[in-house]
Amino acid sequence: MRMRSVVPALAAVAMAGMMAWAAEAPRTEASIGQKAPDFSLTDAAGKKVSLKDYSGKTVVLEWINKDCPIDKRVLTAKYITSVEKKYHDKGVVFLAIDSTSTHTAADLTATAKEFGIDYPILNDFSGKVGHLYGAKTTPHMFVINKEGTLVYAGGIDDDPNGSKANRVNFVDKALGEVTSDKAVSVTESKAYGCSVKYAD
């Protein structure tokens, strides 16, 4: 009789332990309204750049691939770099991230030169940070407010075909609201572009 009563008790303890572990398990992907996961990557020169370096600042993450024709169109039209210039003096930081598994540091330099990008382009050729944020396309944009919370994730705008005369630039809109201490009205949109060329 005693053995019969001990077994259910042990099972209950084991179940409670599993539930506690599940509750404490870290998130595997960034989520809107949650603290943006920290990361450290290097630029073309091998300089280490960490998200925590910009604590207290609004940060925009841009997944980039110079070989993607859709990203090329967006970059050539300066839909992203023009927004960076608009908010640069307001303390907004832009970080481009290249998760293309076949790229090298030379590709980061070439990307900056071809598209006139003067903010860091970071090496995530392993794909670790891309998977952490759930980056699916190039471009795929993320906005992190000065409290470190992810407040926007999605496309640069609502014009995946590049045919709209009056497109809505979601990143520009989100930054206008964040820098005015307003809530972001559009927190998510469908990211468009080429799939991120991960190693796995």
Side-chain angles (χ1 to χ4, degrees), residues 5 12-13 21 31 39 47 56 70 75 82 84 90 95 99 102 123 128 130 169 171-172 181:
S5 62
V13 170
W21 178 86
S31 302
F39 60 83
K47 179 183 176 183
I70 300 172
L75 291 166
S82 63
E84 189 276 334
K90 294 186 179 182
L95 300 174
S99 299
T102 56
N123 166 359
K128 182 178 179 180
N169 189 309
V171 174
D172 186 8
D181 294 322

Side-chain angles (χ1 to χ4, degrees), residues 70-155:
I70 300 172
D71 204 12
K72 271 192 171 188
R73 171 177 65 78
V74 169
L75 291 166
T76 301
K78 302 190 181 304
Y79 294 153
I80 299 173
T81 53
S82 63
V83 177
E84 189 276 334
K85 286 179 169 53
K86 179 177 178 179
Y87 291 96
H88 181 80
D89 290 342
K90 294 186 179 182
V92 176
V93 174
F94 274 63
L95 300 174
I97 299 176
D98 190 337
S99 299
T100 309
S101 62
T102 56
H103 279 181
T104 66
D107 289 294
L108 304 183
T109 301
T111 301
K113 183 177 180 180
E114 181 176 353
F115 300 108
I117 297 172
D118 54 13
Y119 46 89
I121 304 178
L122 306 177
N123 166 359
D124 182 45
F125 307 146
S126 70
K128 182 178 179 180
V129 177
H131 288 307
L132 181 63
Y133 275 79
K136 295 177 173 58
T137 63
T138 49
H140 198 160
M141 310 296 298
F142 299 82
V143 178
I144 302 163
N145 69 14
K146 58 187 179 181
E147 285 77 35
T149 301
L150 184 64
V151 294
Y152 174 76

